[in-house]
DNA sequence: CTGTTAGCGCCTTCAC
DNA sequence: GTGAAGGCGCTAACAG
């Protein structure tokens, strides 16, 4: 910065001002400075700026998986919400591993984010302590924790799956199975499984038609394998709900390979409204969640909270419930 | 850190040492310090550390899209390669937009990464200048640029698509179409389209069976729509290669909706070996690229380059060609 | 094995 | 609209 200052014939302080959008610098001076910046290929050192201004200029977001359109849509939503804020979004993927989530959170906190967004409402005591001690706003997403850390933007996974089973009941299905949801790593998957159990219990349907598999992320292959098991154990099942669309798609393909007509012989429904659910043949019935909206709401909320803390106030904890929608397509 | 030092009855410098794995501190002292750290909930400020040590402890990776299993696998490969290095991987998604790639690169460079990995070998002059001026190792991936910035880990997209068309020819197909690849934003897609054109020209096949669509990322919907167009224009086409598996899957679903038997009436092949290609019914023939391997190789290479630069030397530019594999499945 | 001194590159604050 | 002084929190370098 001193080099740039010399070249432009000003002080370093003036260069610093010229490089901020709001800096009070005359147009002529700024032009000279920007030219010097360009000639020298100078790139501002934000590390030093962070240290002296106590503003790192980024927020951290922890998501379970990059390669999941729900979460990547949420990430894009956050990015969009933060576009005008001057805050960069730094993403970390936890791969559904709690220990990795902790490590990542600590790595992020060492860089002093101005706010943090995490996925889900279940965290290890250590992570909770870490987040609460960070002294920056925290948003939990994709769930409605009963004891939130601070802000929440999400929906009830249990409720959504319960509603899906009730819809299938209304369509006339009476022996409904469930695929997935036993992973100790995926609390949303477990919540959906609980929703299934609650619904079949309320409706007086047989409640044991579950093929639980423990891995997360759940995949198409899981769906195919689980469907094969379900067919073998409970051949009279007339509908199957799945922890995600990927699982439902795998189940659909398995049905096609075995000549089980969908929805004639068996109905299928997924969760998440992934692209493959929209494009498959037949198209999959699913629960659509506004993933992008979760991200935009969470990002905007975090921004407001950060702005508030900059003026010395603290935004009161907010709780945003995002609606979901059951989309009936061709598999029910 | 001073607070921790006081509580542990040592100097700040000793705390600093105790917090690095390698710091020469007696076990008793370290234990006292770690206890004080725990009691105070202290988290090291890496920003300040970066400033004084001139080592930011992270590398930046720019990928076109998070929600693409090829690129997210590559990201995971990089993460795995860097696991033991103490370098954190910071990901940025460019959404296939050059301008966003530039902005992201600059945002990363302001935080002084110790190395940079970018996707593809075509960059704006500005980005090239930025990367070359950064003074840190650079790796380009997923392509084999003729004029690389420095290191390269990739393969020839043109060559791979050419090989796929040749394989279809060997299988007896004589009127081969192509879907996708016209996006000015996706240089890999364009390279694959060039590979198709080169192959059909060499083989003396009709060369105009192309439904080019310009959007990136290419999607299943694009595949369905493009397939419908292709069917209308060139009903005698007997095989179709696609810029990606997602497009191929969309095309497959369109064929099923219209009752065109695959591969009986028309053969299909994709690119990338996505999960949906493995799990669809019928399973898709595709070009499998070792996405994770690209990431691991790039990450390991970058690490070596960074280690070299720490000892004052500069690693000579390397070029790693990653093999690809044509996987014949049920759609050809 | 531990402490002291100095400074990383910028921005806050105050002065003009 | 511009400049000078000082310090952000840590670590390199050197001393003991």
């Amino acid at each position: 910065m001193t080099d740039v200052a010399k070249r432009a014939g000003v002080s370093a302080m003036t260069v610093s001002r010229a490089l901020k959008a709001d800096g009070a610098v005359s147009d002529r001076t700024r032009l000279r400075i920007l030219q010097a910046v360009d000639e020298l290929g100078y790139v501002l050192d934000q590390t030093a700026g962070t240290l002296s201004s106590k503003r790192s200029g980024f927020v951290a977001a922890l998501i379970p998986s990059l390669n999941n359109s729900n979460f990547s849509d949420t990430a894009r939503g956050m990015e969009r919400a933060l576009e005008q804020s001057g805050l960069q979004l730094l993403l970390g993927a936890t791969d559904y591993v709690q220990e990795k989530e902790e490590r990542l959170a600590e790595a992020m906190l060492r860089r002093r984010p101005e706010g943090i967004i995490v996925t889900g409402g279940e965290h290890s005591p250590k992570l909770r302590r870490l987040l609460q001690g960070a002294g920056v706003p925290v948003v939990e997403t994709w769930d409605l924790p009963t004891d939130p850390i601070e802000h929440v933007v999400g929906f009830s996974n249990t409720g959504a799956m319960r509603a899906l089973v009730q819809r299938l009941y209304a369509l006339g299905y009476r022996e409904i199975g469930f695929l997935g949801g036993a992973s100790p790593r995926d609390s949303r998957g477990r919540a959906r499984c609980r929703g299934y159990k609650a619904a079949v219990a309320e409706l007086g349907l047989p409640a044991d038609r579950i093929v639980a598999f423990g891995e997360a992320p759940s995949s198409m292959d899981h769906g195919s394998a689980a469907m094969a098991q379900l067919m073998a154990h409970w051949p009279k099942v007339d509908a199957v709900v799945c922890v995600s669309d990927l699982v439902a798609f795998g189940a659909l393909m398995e049905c096609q390979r075995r000549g089980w007509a969908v929805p004639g012989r068996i109905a299928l429904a997924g969760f998440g409204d992934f692209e493959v659910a929209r494009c498959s043949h037949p198209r999959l019935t699913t629960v659509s969640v506004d993933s992008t909206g979760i991200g935009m709401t969470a990002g905007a909320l975090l921004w407001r909270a950060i702005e508030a803390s900059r003026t010395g106030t603290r935004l009161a904890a907010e709780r945003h419930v995002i609606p979901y929608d059951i989309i009936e397509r061709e598999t029910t």
Side-chain angles (χ1 to χ4, degrees), chain A residues 74-154:
Chain A
T74 297
R76 273 223 291 281
M78 298 188 290
E79 211 155 72
R80 205 176 311 162
L82 294 168
E83 218 159 53
Q84 305 299 319
S85 70
L87 290 162
Q88 194 187 351
L89 181 72
L90 256 34
L91 274 183
T94 68
D95 292 331
Y96 295 90
V97 179
Q98 201 170 57
E99 190 195 306
K100 196 169 172 199
E101 188 178 20
E102 284 173 10
R103 279 205 315 270
L104 247 174
E106 221 181 318
M108 291 293 195
L109 288 176
R110 278 197 289 266
R111 302 185 188 279
R112 299 291 186 265
E114 300 191 41
I116 307 170
I117 302 177
V118 295
T119 307
E122 291 183 18
H123 312 287
S124 66
K126 185 184 167 191
L127 182 58
R128 268 190 93 95
R129 233 182 336 118
L130 221 48
L131 295 179
Q132 282 171 324
V136 296
V138 175
V139 182
E140 292 170 281
T141 60
W142 276 94
D143 209 344
L144 293 179
T146 48
D147 180 24
I149 297 176
E150 189 177 9
H151 306 290
V152 174
V153 179

Side-chain angles (χ1 to χ4, degrees), chain A residues 180-196:
Chain A
S183 170
R185 293 154 54 169
D186 178 11
S187 60
R188 282 159 302 289
R190 276 181 286 123
R192 288 170 200 170
C193 189
R194 284 198 303 276
Y196 161 81

